[in-house]
Amino acid sequence: MQPDGLWSIGELAERAGVTVKTVRFYSDRGLLPEAGRSGGGHRRYGPEALDRIRIIRSLRALDVPVPEVERVMDQGEALEQVLAGRLRDVEGELTALRWREASLRLLAESEAEERVERLLLLGAVALPPGTDAVVRFWRRVLPVRLPGRLVSRVLDAVVPPLPPAPAPEQVLAFARLHAFVRDPRLDRVPALRPGPPLPGQTYRPTVLYEGLEEAYGLAGAEARGGRPPEGGGALDCFVAAYAAALGTRDGAAFRRRLVELLAADDGPVMTRYWKLAAPLLPADEPALGQLHYRLVLALRADSASTP
C-alpha cells in the first residue's frame, strides 16, 4: 500500500489475483471507482475496490454477463433477480445437455440400419426441444372461435410435457411426434379441423369443449378408481356435452347418431398422434386420448344395448 493508503493498479491486481488488464477493463467500465490519482496521473484504489473486484469475479465465475454485473453493482438491481435469471439459463443448458446425452445413447444403442433414419429425425429437433410445432398442430385442429382461456386449458391437456431428463426412447418418441405434426401431408386432410358435428344443426363449440372438459375429468377419476364409464357419470356428461352444443336432447336416437359421428371423427390422424405422444405422458395419469376412447367405447356399448 502506498503512503496515502491507496493501491496502484498493479498492487490491486496482485491482491485480487487477476491481471492488470482485468482491473483496467473493470475500471474503464466504471465497476471499480478510483479513489484518486498519483502525481503522475496513475490510478489509485482503496481497499473497497478489492471487495468489489472479488464480488465481480464471483459473478463472472457464475457466468453472469458483464452488463448484468453492472446493473447489480451500480444500478441497484436486486441480485436475486439476476441470479434467478442465470438459474433459468443454467437449467435450460442442463436440459439441452440431458437431451443431447439421451440422443447419443439412443443412436449408440440403435441397430446400424436404424441410425440414418433416427439421425434425420433428431436433426429436425432443436436442443433443448420445444413444443411449438405440437401447439400449432392443435391450433389447426381446434375450432376457430374457442375462447383463449379454453384453448389454453385444452393445450395443457393435449400437448405432452417434455421431460427435463429424458430416456432415449422418449427422445425418439418426441422426434417422431415432431415430424408427424410438421408433416405437410396433413394439409391435405380435409377433416383435420372439424366443422359442425352434425350438418344442418346449430353448433356451439365452446359449449362442447367446456362440457367435454368436465366429462374427461369424471372419466379420469373413474379410470384411476378402476371403474368403467357408466350411466350417471362420465358417459352421461360426455353425451350431454354434445347434445348441449347441438341444441338438442340426450336420448337413444341421439346416442346412435353420436356413435356414427364419433366413428367418423376418430380417424388415423388422432390415433397416430396419441400413439406417438404416449411415451411422453405421465404413466400414472390416463391421457386425454385414452379417456376419449374409453367414453366412445362405453357409448357404443350403451347404444347397442338400448332398443
Side-chain angles (χ1 to χ4, degrees), residues 138 142 146 149-159 209:
W138 277 102
L142 295 173
L146 284 185
R149 57 178 172 77
L150 185 54
V151 170
S152 296
R153 296 203 301 270
V154 172
L155 292 176
D156 287 342
V158 298
V159 176
Y209 278 80

Side-chain angles (χ1 to χ4, degrees), residues 209-275:
Y209 278 80
E210 287 177 342
L212 290 178
E213 186 176 31
E214 181 181 357
Y216 294 144
L218 292 173
E222 291 174 348
R224 287 188 294 272
R227 305 187 307 275
E230 296 175 339
L235 177 58
D236 285 354
C237 186
F238 181 70
V239 176
Y242 280 95
L246 294 168
T248 188
R249 293 183 178 182
D250 186 4
F254 175 75
R255 292 195 175 206
R256 286 191 291 271
R257 294 170 67 200
L258 187 56
V259 168
E260 297 174 1
L261 163 69
L262 294 174
D265 279 352
D266 293 338
V269 172
M270 285 299 126
T271 301
R272 179 67 173 161
Y273 176 88
W274 288 110
K275 181 177 180 180

Side-chain angles (χ1 to χ4, degrees), residues 14-248:
E14 183 178 358
R15 287 175 179 271
V18 299
T19 65
V20 169
K21 182 179 179 181
T22 297
V23 175
R24 185 174 290 114
F25 172 77
Y26 290 136
S27 186
D28 291 342
R29 301 279 302 217
L31 290 170
L32 293 175
E34 301 168 16
R37 291 269 178 163
S38 69
H42 298 295
R43 303 174 187 185
R44 291 287 184 263
Y45 300 91
E48 68 278 359
L50 181 59
D51 290 339
R52 286 180 68 88
I53 202 168
R54 285 173 174 166
I55 292 173
I56 294 167
R57 287 190 69 196
S58 293
L59 292 171
R60 292 295 292 131
L62 296 172
D63 210 21
V64 176
V66 172
E68 298 290 320
V69 174
E70 290 175 335
R71 283 193 280 274
V72 170
M73 301 294 290
D74 293 325
Q75 299 179 24
E77 183 168 326
L79 178 58
E80 289 82 1
Q81 295 177 9
V82 172
L83 295 179
R86 185 65 195 123
L87 274 172
R88 288 192 295 271
D89 293 341
V90 170
E91 288 166 0
E93 293 163 8
L94 287 173
T95 299
L97 285 173
R98 290 174 183 134
W99 275 79
R100 187 171 295 123
E101 178 190 21
S103 299
L104 288 168
R105 292 190 184 281
L106 171 68
L107 294 171
E109 296 166 3
S110 299
E111 299 294 336
E113 60 271 16
E114 297 174 321
R115 286 182 182 146
V116 172
E117 176 202 1
R118 293 180 176 184
L119 279 168
L120 291 172
L121 286 170
L122 296 176
V125 179
L127 291 177
T131 58
D132 289 352
V134 184
V135 170
R136 285 194 297 271
F137 167 82
W138 277 102
R139 288 190 180 278
R140 292 169 59 199
V141 170
L142 295 173
V144 175
R145 292 185 296 278
L146 284 185
R149 57 178 172 77
L150 185 54
V151 170
S152 296
R153 296 203 301 270
V154 172
L155 292 176
D156 287 342
V158 298
V159 176
L162 297 183
E169 58 269 21
Q170 289 178 309
V171 170
L172 180 59
F174 180 73
R176 285 174 171 165
L177 179 64
H178 185 264
F180 173 71
V181 298
R182 296 176 70 243
D183 190 335
R185 289 175 295 181
L186 293 180
D187 294 334
R188 300 194 292 271
V189 179
L192 188 57
R193 186 189 294 278
L198 295 175
Q201 289 194 251
T202 300
Y203 174 43
R204 295 180 293 171
T206 299
V207 172
L208 174 62
Y209 278 80
E210 287 177 342
L212 290 178
E213 186 176 31
E214 181 181 357
Y216 294 144
L218 292 173
E222 291 174 348
R224 287 188 294 272
R227 305 187 307 275
E230 296 175 339
L235 177 58
D236 285 354
C237 186
F238 181 70
V239 176
Y242 280 95
L246 294 168
T248 188

